[in-house]
Amino acid sequence: MQRRIYGGILCVGMWLLAGALPALANTAGNTSELIADAALRQAIADELGLGAGSAIDGAVLAELETLRARDAGIRSLAGLEHAVGLRELDLRGNDVRDLQPLAGLTQLEWLSLRENPRLQDIAPLQGLTGLSYLNLNRNTRIRSIQPLQEMRQLDTLILRGVRVLHREEEQVVIAALGPMERLNLRDTGLTTVAVLLPGLDAGGYREQLDVSENPLRDSGLLIPYREQIAEFAVSGPQLGVRIRAEGGAVYGEGPYYDMDLRLMLDAEPRSFIRVYGALDIELDPEDMEFELDIDEVFLQYGLTERWRLRVGKQKMAWGQALLLDQPGDFMADVDDGAALRLDADLLDSGANRLRFTGVMHAEGSFFADGDAPEFGEFAYAGRLRGSLGWFRYGTALWYRQPHYLPLRTSGYAGGEWGDWQLMLETVAYWDRHDFPEGDGFLTASTVWSPADWKLTAEYQYDSRVLDARGQRAAVRVDLPELSGWELSLYQEHELRDTRGEFVPRAQREILPYTDLIFELPITYGDPDSRTLGAQLGLDFSLSF
């Protein structure tokens, strides 16, 4: 009797186990539970083109390289840690609170966490040393950006609305990150631009620097750098004043002196409208009279978030040279006259970006005649520049019919690897009467910036100079600061003629908003061109 009971129990147990095995097998094979959040699971399925009910296991996640999940209602990223090959992740407009699943995704290059309002802690991001793009826009609850301090590989950082930069320990992070292409610090509580100056001096923020809507007390310090930044925004209205005075002497030629005053007004009455004007007043040392020049005055209108229109007298810097001439700066004379300029962000996806600039320019002499210029008399230019991760590239074209060399073209390519930067630019001016004959230029630049040092070297070839004499090289060494002095050495040399210039330079702040600058220029080569001079200058900048 007892054996029958045990036998019955065993049969029932075997029957239950047999029924459970398929379910267990299914659970092992279909690991959808790796992704607990249904919205995230659906976004992954959509990205991979998977059908309803398809298994999303670790192997599938490991093959995921891109995930775009904007406004998807995602709350949890649990399970995404298995997506070890993920390179681009767009989580804009979700409700993510915990970033821990991202901590091990070291292949990530592009990450947008824009508008995740409950996000507070970004510490899990500190190990993502491959990131070149990070967007934390409008995450107002983030408590600290210190986990980003070692991310010196960042090319773009957007912190708009992350209001932590009123604290010095947070400002230090910005200084530690060093130069990058695009930095948006709008409405972050930033009180001083001093943390940006090292990056600006290193040629950083060339594509964008936005420090508007902040209680800045020294924004006037940015005025000298404005021309090197394609998209520049400061809280407005802002009035800036800069006074520069310098004097010196050249051995055998006697003393000289110079002084100029610059007044600047920058206002953004609306987020999509910007009005800018700059007036230069310069002393003519011969006549001892001041000359006035309207350096810039333009109106900028944001057609959309990615399309901007600007009209008026304005400056543009297109060349890639760092130390020598800028043959690729086709728009160097655009400040003489007026221009209509269109900027468009054609691509901003992952580590890939592409921007177009189109310009129609009329010289000031056209308007001085009183007659409207014909379309054939305008200068037309277009520029494409972009990036693929660490690699940067661009091309430009300029054309004006009534001109000896009516067509100009350029192309450049380069990138950054750790402490190194390298850029190569080629430029051609074409002869309309004997095409494709013309003038050619080649510029190669490199920058090495370990620790507190910075070495910049550049080579340039100009085909207009006969007998291969159009070859020049320049080197600049920025030394570690010494007792408050910023020290640098500069040398420029013409390779075939063995002529050149050597300039030691020292600069330091002696009064609030005022720098003292000392230079000792020495030229060498032909006996008639050898000189020794000394120059002392004061630079005062202030904004209201």
Side-chain angles (χ1 to χ4, degrees), residues 190-206:
L190 186 67
T191 57
T192 175
V193 300
V195 296
L196 301 172
L197 300 185
L200 288 164
D201 289 334
Y205 321 129
R206 293 180 61 143

Side-chain angles (χ1 to χ4, degrees), residues 223 226 235-241 262-268 274-279 296-298 544:
I223 294 175
R226 189 190 162 279
S235 297
Q238 177 193 18
L239 176 64
V241 179
R262 182 179 178 87
L263 302 175
M264 182 272 295
L265 175 65
D266 195 349
E268 292 186 66
R274 180 185 177 201
V275 181
Y276 181 86
L279 174 68
E296 289 186 271
V297 56
F298 63 78
F544 306 91

Side-chain angles (χ1 to χ4, degrees), residues 200-221:
L200 288 164
D201 289 334
Y205 321 129
R206 293 180 61 143
E207 292 296 328
Q208 181 193 45
L209 177 61
D210 189 341
V211 292
S212 56
E213 299 180 24
N214 285 305
L216 296 172
R217 57 177 182 267
D218 55 0
S219 57
L221 297 176

Side-chain angles (χ1 to χ4, degrees), residues 241-307:
V241 179
R242 182 177 184 181
I243 302 174
R244 289 188 296 185
E246 62 183 37
V250 177
Y251 180 76
E253 297 184 12
Y256 66 91
Y257 54 89
D258 192 15
M259 184 176 72
D260 64 81
L261 168 68
R262 182 179 178 87
L263 302 175
M264 182 272 295
L265 175 65
D266 195 349
E268 292 186 66
R270 296 290 186 273
S271 60
F272 53 89
I273 296 178
R274 180 185 177 201
V275 181
Y276 181 86
L279 174 68
D280 284 344
I281 305 174
E282 187 172 357
L283 175 66
D284 185 342
E286 294 184 1
D287 300 332
M288 292 302 294
E289 295 181 354
F290 287 96
E291 300 178 352
L292 277 68
D293 176 51
I294 299 177
D295 190 49
E296 289 186 271
V297 56
F298 63 78
L299 172 68
Q300 178 173 299
Y301 185 84
L303 302 173
T304 67
E305 186 176 343
R306 293 194 173 191
W307 293 72

Side-chain angles (χ1 to χ4, degrees), residues 257-442:
Y257 54 89
D258 192 15
M259 184 176 72
D260 64 81
L261 168 68
R262 182 179 178 87
L263 302 175
M264 182 272 295
L265 175 65
D266 195 349
E268 292 186 66
R270 296 290 186 273
S271 60
F272 53 89
I273 296 178
R274 180 185 177 201
V275 181
Y276 181 86
L279 174 68
D280 284 344
I281 305 174
E282 187 172 357
L283 175 66
D284 185 342
E286 294 184 1
D287 300 332
M288 292 302 294
E289 295 181 354
F290 287 96
E291 300 178 352
L292 277 68
D293 176 51
I294 299 177
D295 190 49
E296 289 186 271
V297 56
F298 63 78
L299 172 68
Q300 178 173 299
Y301 185 84
L303 302 173
T304 67
E305 186 176 343
R306 293 194 173 191
W307 293 72
R308 295 166 299 280
L309 190 65
R310 180 184 294 183
V311 60
K313 188 176 183 181
Q314 53 195 291
K315 289 186 174 181
M316 305 177 202
W318 285 14
Q320 298 300 308
L322 301 175
L323 301 174
L324 298 171
D325 295 339
Q326 291 279 16
D329 196 358
F330 301 156
M331 307 308 298
D333 59 349
V334 74
D335 56 334
D336 177 22
L340 179 66
R341 167 179 168 180
L342 175 67
D343 290 296
D345 296 327
L346 302 180
L347 176 66
D348 193 351
S349 173
N352 306 333
R353 293 199 301 272
L354 185 63
R355 173 178 290 182
F356 169 76
T357 299
V359 181
M360 183 173 69
H361 171 224
E363 294 183 356
S365 58
F366 292 155
F367 302 101
D369 298 336
D371 298 328
E374 298 181 0
F375 280 100
E377 297 177 314
F378 284 96
Y380 302 89
R383 183 190 187 196
L384 278 173
R385 62 191 187 280
S387 63
L388 294 170
W390 56 267
F391 181 70
R392 291 197 297 123
Y393 63 93
T395 184
L397 181 146
W398 178 94
Y399 177 78
R400 200 182 88 201
Q401 184 175 352
H403 199 275
Y404 167 62
L405 298 173
L407 178 64
R408 301 176 183 178
T409 58
S410 72
Y412 69 85
E416 300 182 15
W417 304 268
D419 296 332
W420 283 95
Q421 300 177 40
L422 180 65
M423 186 63 65
L424 183 68
E425 180 184 46
T426 60
V427 180
Y429 294 178
W430 304 100
D431 188 342
R432 63 178 175 178
H433 298 298
D434 196 13
F435 188 85
E437 297 293 328
D439 299 330
F441 308 84
L442 174 68

